[in-house]
Amino acid sequence: MKRLPVLVFFLGPLAWQVLTSFWPEPELTRALPHALTVANYAGLGTTFARAVLNSLLVAAGTTALCLAVGASAAFAVAKLEFRGRSLLFGGALAISMFPPIATVSPLYLVLRAAGLRDTLAGLILPYATFALPLTLWLLTSFFRDLPDELYRAARVDGCTPWQAFVHVFLPLSWPALATSAILVFIFSWNELLYALSFISTPSKRTIPVAIALFAGEHVEPWGQIAAASVVATVPLAFLTLFFQRRIVAGLTAGAVKE
Amino acid sequence: MASVSLDRVRKAFPGAPDAVHELSLEIADGEFVSLVGPSGCGKSTTLNLIAGLDQPTSGSIRIDGKPVEGLEPGERDIAMVFQSYALYPHKDVRGNLAFPLEVARLERSEIDKRIAETAELLGISKLLSRKPRELSGGQRQRVALGRALVRKPRVYLLDEPLSNLDAGLRAQMRAELRRLHQKLRATFIYVTHDQAEAMTLSDRIALLRAGELQQTGTPREIYQRPANRFVAEFFGTPRINVVPARVLGLEGDDLVGIRPEQIELLSERASGVLEATVEEAEMTGAELWVTLSLGGESMVARAPSDFAAHPGGRVWIRFPADRVLRFEQSGRTLSQTRL
Amino acid sequence: MKARSQAALLAAPAMAILAGVAVLPVLAAIWLSLHRSILVFHEERFIGIANFRFLFSDGRFWSALGTTAYFTAVAVAAELLIGLPVAMLLQRGGGFFRAAILLPWAIPTAVSARMWAWLFNADYGLLHRLLPGVDWLGSPRTALHAAILVDVWKTTPFVALILLAGLSAIPGDVVKAARVDGARPARIFFSITLPLLRPAILLALLFRSLDAFRVFDAIYVLTEGGPANATETLSIYAYKTLLRSGDFGYGSALSVATFACVLGIGLVFLRFLGRER
Ligand SMILES: Nc1ncnc2c1ncn2[C@@H]1O[C@H](COP(=O)(O)OP(=O)(O)O)[C@@H](O)[C@H]1O
Ligand SMILES: [Mg+2]
């Protein structure tokens, strides 16, 4: 099997991490543990539970905002005519190349001035902004593939562009919405730089920040870190297992010409 | 019911010649008018302008005498049937038929009544709870038609509604459209690139070429008195023969046209005939299409299917002189044929 | 006319967000980079291009630029070299295999970096046990390569998927024709597959180079730029200057410089891609 070395390379480190998470802390110096324990998980405590909750809130909020704003804009770009149409689409693609670090300093000052620094809500807007180009890209190509005549039919049937969007195109677009939602969720769940820069209160940390800054009193608590990592990974493992087709389709949309 | 009138309507898309150029057209109340022309000549664009899906660059459109500028498509009291049918894939047949009425906020009871009537009329009552993807091509076509009918609009706009059907169904639907038009007495504007379809269906035909109107008239007028060579060549199968006048033994340097069915083939010499060589004979069933070589030009004639024509063989032809069309250098038909 | 204004309205929120939270901040960063602005001192003073003059003579900046470029070049090259055979394995199907490969891409970089930090651990790490004697994160020579390894582990799946899409777009008949013409597998790969895969390869290169050049998460978690700044990339340097030192003027100048580099890379690739189409 040629796949075996590939699987070992990609899954081996994860397997070791899972094993470490059940490894009794005092026995980490040994080659292998004598017995397995859930103490590492129990020891994570409420701070990490908060981080999981925070990440869920931020990721869900970002996904909702991104889809709400992105779907209507993508529909407009794909099916309607308005001034600034190509500017929006081209601009979004250019923005997807922006390095996040380039906006950290002004966003920090603006969020601070607005009283949103060190709040979860303050993370959602920048996250949605950086996930918006991908959402626009996916949804626009989806809407483009739906026939123009469908839009014209809705208009002749008396719909305003908005009604055509809500009654005809939105109900048809759930596959693309699902794909976008999954990718945006993963992006927000994983983001570190902004969360690290804007959040200072420990109870407001998201998972990546909590794990990056995870520290013990004397030595690094590798077992607990492993347990936290597993907790952070499980939702994504389910997402990839169940929605891999969507994820792959979303990631490679536009990679090849039809 | 309503008349539709277009007054010097022009539509230009950026960076292209006019898709529709200075088009003026009067369509009477209750008339069945076809817009015909080769693909890309601006038929759909014209229909979209009437529907309000696009705005004219200049010129004006009136429905029932009133300018419709600024009116949304839904406010124009028109309905449209699309080539791809454009049925809403997520709604069943009932939902598709109900949609325009729901958008117009009709009473539920009225909606149900109209759906029942329309479904009855088109014979799709049994399909009401099916989704479009569960329908055959012909059934989809009927639903698309039904979605236009339920609204009882003043004007029907049909954009190549039959071109996705196979030949048998198409003939059947043609007859049904004709029947519907007679029953409803509404104004029908019908777009097709198929000249035979336009001929059989329409009260009047308007032929477009590259956005410019070539001629309007009844099918008979258009066929017998085409305004120019393009119109003459567009209608009729096989195509009209266009040859230099001298080939037919006529005076002048003009090109002249003679329809294949006007050419009489004889297997023997007679008085006032021209001699020709058979190049090819195509059997179509009811008749024979004979390609002739005459004075260095090829011409096609229609003959009874039992006419004996063999490639290389010799035949003689005869034609009524008053049926010969004479074209100017520009392609325009000279008003009176002279010999 | 009503329709047109409604269209603009539908797009307005997205436009506002993109303009307000991405374009304006970048412009603001450029503006900030022309200032001396130290947060704790409440100091804010226009100083023109002085920050950039300093930047050109700042050895640490040049070293960070070099580190970033090295990281990007090696990581992206490795990802392509590993990604292509993985893509060819993926082509034979297998939903579980695909999902398994996707997992490293899906989990947070912070998590995977922590996971690798444990594997690299100089006392009890698995790699240390298998290959004693290498202090992966502790020595300046190996630390950057350790970070590259983490990046390769995480993003090769993405590259493989892009290449897989490219492979699937190659018409099967072309390969069949080549086989009928008597070409051997190696010949088919170099004369048919690879040339037809060019657009997909360029696209993967574009995405990955832009992404690798702004690398932050993995290095921040693994080494925070150490040891002895050996793994300090532009994003890390800018982050430290901004949020550790609170020097928003010079930090912004570093961000703007990073932005300019990324823009340059993007434009170069788009030129290539544009020629391809
Ligand atoms: N939205 C558009 N943008 C640019 N050009 C268009 C558009 N719609 C139609 N055209 C052009 O206008 C001309 C007429 O098109 P159309 O009306 O669709 O022709 P048809 O007679 O086949 O229905 C064509 O040359 C077409 O390319
Ligand atoms: Mg058309």
Side-chain angles (χ1 to χ4, degrees), chain B residues 4-323:
Chain B
V4 175
S5 90
L6 281 71
D7 184 23
R8 277 170 295 140
V9 170
R10 194 167 79 86
K11 177 68 182 178
F13 293 107
D18 289 2
V20 175
H21 185 74
E22 304 275 315
L23 175 62
S24 296
L25 193 61
E26 295 290 335
I27 296 162
D29 183 9
E31 207 177 9
F32 194 124
V33 171
S34 290
L35 296 178
V36 252
S39 171
C41 71
K43 307 180 295 286
S44 298
T45 305
T46 306
L47 223 49
N48 289 335
L49 293 174
I50 298 172
L53 291 166
D54 263 332
Q55 309 305 322
T57 311
S58 64
S60 72
I61 299 171
R62 274 169 296 152
I63 297 181
D64 213 8
K66 291 184 210 59
V68 290
E69 199 193 330
L71 286 186
E72 289 284 298
E75 298 165 349
R76 296 188 176 199
D77 208 0
I78 45 119
M80 193 158 171
V81 178
F82 296 88
Q83 178 174 1
S84 68
Y85 313 142
L87 299 178
Y88 306 121
H90 58 301
K91 293 179 187 288
D92 60 10
V93 172
R94 182 187 299 283
N96 268 280
L97 297 183
F99 189 64
L101 306 179
E102 286 166 359
V103 174
R105 296 177 191 279
L106 260 62
E107 295 274 330
R108 192 72 238 176
S109 57
E110 172 68 11
I111 294 180
D112 289 339
K113 197 181 106 219
R114 290 223 205 156
I115 291 178
E117 274 171 23
T118 308
E120 182 71 25
L121 182 67
L122 293 171
I124 51 174
S125 302
K126 292 211 176 69
L127 307 175
L128 284 177
S129 52
R130 293 224 200 140
K131 288 278 177 65
R133 64 168 175 278
E134 299 161 342
L135 302 175
S136 69
Q139 291 169 333
R140 283 179 206 179
Q141 220 290 316
R142 279 163 195 275
V143 176
L145 210 51
R147 195 172 60 186
L149 289 172
V150 275
R151 300 178 54 190
K152 305 188 175 166
R154 296 184 298 175
V155 180
Y156 289 86
L157 306 174
L158 302 102
D159 194 352
E160 314 220 8
L162 306 186
S163 63
N164 282 351
L165 299 179
D166 60 47
L169 264 176
R170 195 150 57 206
Q172 188 190 332
M173 284 308 296
R174 251 192 236 174
E176 201 153 331
L177 276 175
R178 195 70 238 182
R179 181 175 66 80
L180 267 176
H181 176 245
Q182 257 142 34
K183 186 171 150 67
L184 297 169
R185 279 285 142 211
T187 311
F188 274 53
I189 305 179
Y190 187 95
V191 159
T192 178
H193 65 268
D194 181 342
Q195 47 96 15
E197 201 167 282
M199 285 278 184
T200 50
L201 278 172
S202 326
D203 297 329
R204 222 146 48 90
I205 291 175
L207 179 67
L208 291 172
R209 177 197 193 185
E212 304 213 31
L213 184 64
Q214 303 292 304
Q215 187 174 5
T216 56
T218 63
R220 188 184 300 270
E221 283 165 359
I222 289 235
Y223 191 72
Q224 293 183 346
R225 293 198 298 280
N228 58 37
R229 181 177 170 183
F230 178 79
V231 179
E233 290 188 316
F234 192 82
F235 292 95
T237 323
R239 227 153 48 132
I240 190 169
N241 298 294
V242 178
V243 293
R246 56 158 180 84
V247 172
L248 295 183
L250 306 174
E251 288 168 13
D253 303 327
D254 298 329
L255 290 172
V256 295
I258 178 85
R259 299 231 178 246
E261 67 272 18
Q262 302 294 350
I263 301 176
E264 189 188 353
L265 289 185
L266 305 168
S267 28
E268 282 157 31
R269 185 186 295 273
S271 70
V273 296
L274 297 170
E275 189 179 308
T277 313
V278 176
E279 280 183 350
E280 202 187 335
E282 227 181 311
M283 175 64 188
T284 66
E287 54 190 21
L288 202 61
W289 293 0
V290 184
T291 309
L292 306 165
S293 168
L294 179 67
E297 299 280 333
S298 274
M299 295 177 68
V300 177
R302 289 163 70 165
S305 60
D306 54 1
F307 184 84
H310 309 288
R314 186 160 302 196
V315 290
W316 289 267
I317 66 166
R318 191 154 64 183
F319 53 88
D322 60 341
R323 287 307 177 85

Side-chain angles (χ1 to χ4, degrees), chain A residues 108-121:
Chain A
Y108 183 94
L109 297 176
V110 169
L111 289 175
R112 196 176 63 159
L116 286 173
R117 201 192 68 79
D118 202 22
T119 66
L120 296 178

Side-chain angles (χ1 to χ4, degrees), chain A residues 47-73:
Chain A
T47 343
F48 191 71
R50 269 311 293 262
V52 174
L53 182 66
N54 292 341
S55 274
L56 273 176
L57 288 175
V58 172
T62 303
T63 308
L65 178 62
C66 216
L67 290 194
V69 168
S72 60

